[in-house]
Amino acid sequence: MHSAFGYFSGSESFPVQPKELHEKIATSGTCSDRWHLAGRDDLSLEVMAILAQDSDPEVRSGIAMNYLTPAGILALLANQHPDLVPPISIHTNAPPTLKELAPILWQTDESIFQYLVDKGATEEESTELRKLHSRLTRQHLNQIRKAQKNVPPDEVPYMEPPRAPLLGDAWRSIHTEPSNDATPPYSPQFLNDAAHYWEHWSK
């Protein structure tokens, strides 16, 4: 399991689930079996697509947080289940329009790199966004260190990364050239729902 996001990143601790039985488990296995299946790192795209349509929210969440889930399935999950926007929008494979709904400091360096590739960022834009990400990270770490002073280790409060600025806002602050970016295919209601779920979600 990924230490930062709780993303599944291996099948070593999962029950034995032979690859030839994955589709059968996905369609008719128990909820527990389907949930374990959703976290595996050897799933086919077909099985991932089946699990993304599962009736159980824990199974869908498992697919949303599987580090191998591709952009298309993540986009489908987010559109159908806005409550999954927070974990999906910080997924390395998420479409850039979904990543833009997440605070920049909740993105990993790998996710930022892939975002810049997907956006076709210039070298200057890539440098500026990475510098901003690094500066905000240092500020957050300094705040944590300050809070830790003269406090017993077991009493240090958890300080999650700030929820502003959003990655999309940060990008628009440096992307000053006329943009050919497509309008995000999200309705105002979807954006409101996404903001609501981000407000009440934490790692």
Side-chain angles (χ1 to χ4, degrees):
M1 187 174 287
H2 192 292
S3 60
F5 299 109
Y7 284 177
F8 297 112
S9 58
S11 303
E12 297 85 357
S13 60
F14 289 91
V16 176
Q17 295 177 317
K19 195 173 181 68
E20 61 269 20
L21 296 180
H22 285 180
E23 186 169 347
K24 181 177 181 180
I25 295 171
T27 55
S28 58
T30 66
C31 180
S32 176
D33 285 342
R34 300 194 317 274
W35 179 81
H36 280 109
L37 186 67
R40 297 188 64 90
D41 59 8
D42 57 353
L43 300 179
S44 67
L45 290 177
E46 292 76 15
V47 170
M48 283 187 174
I50 292 171
L51 293 172
Q53 298 295 323
D54 199 278
S55 60
D56 189 281
E58 293 297 324
V59 176
R60 297 194 301 268
S61 179
I63 282 294
M65 293 190 290
N66 186 314
Y67 79 114
L68 292 176
T69 303
I73 291 178
L74 292 172
L76 178 68
L77 275 167
N79 286 329
Q80 294 181 344
H81 306 283
D83 58 304
L84 290 176
V85 165
I88 289 174
S89 61
I90 57 176
H91 194 295
T92 299
N93 297 340
T97 50
L98 278 171
K99 287 185 181 180
E100 291 175 350
L101 304 180
I104 186 173
L105 277 192
W106 290 60
Q107 303 284 2
T108 64
D109 289 339
E110 183 181 6
S111 183
I112 292 286
F113 173 81
Q114 188 59 51
Y115 173 79
L116 290 167
V117 170
D118 291 340
K119 296 294 286 187
T122 65
E123 183 175 348
E124 182 179 356
E125 290 170 340
S126 297
T127 299
E128 286 300 312
L129 192 65
R130 288 196 181 106
K131 285 170 60 176
L132 175 61
H133 186 252
S134 296
R135 178 170 58 81
L136 293 173
T137 298
R138 288 195 302 272
Q139 290 177 355
H140 179 56
L141 292 176
N142 287 337
Q143 291 175 339
I144 293 176
R145 294 189 188 100
K146 187 179 296 185
Q148 290 174 336
K149 285 185 177 179
N150 303 318
V151 178
D154 58 343
E155 295 181 17
V156 175
Y158 170 67
M159 296 180 63
E160 68 178 20
R163 297 183 180 236
L166 300 182
L167 177 56
D169 292 336
W171 168 253
R172 285 184 285 274
S173 73
I174 64 173
H175 187 68
T176 55
E177 296 293 325
S179 177
N180 293 321
D181 294 348
T183 302
Y186 306 127
S187 67
Q189 182 61 55
F190 177 88
L191 295 175
N192 287 337
D193 288 344
H196 168 78
Y197 287 115
W198 253 111
E199 182 179 352
H200 298 283
W201 187 80
S202 62
K203 295 179 187 178

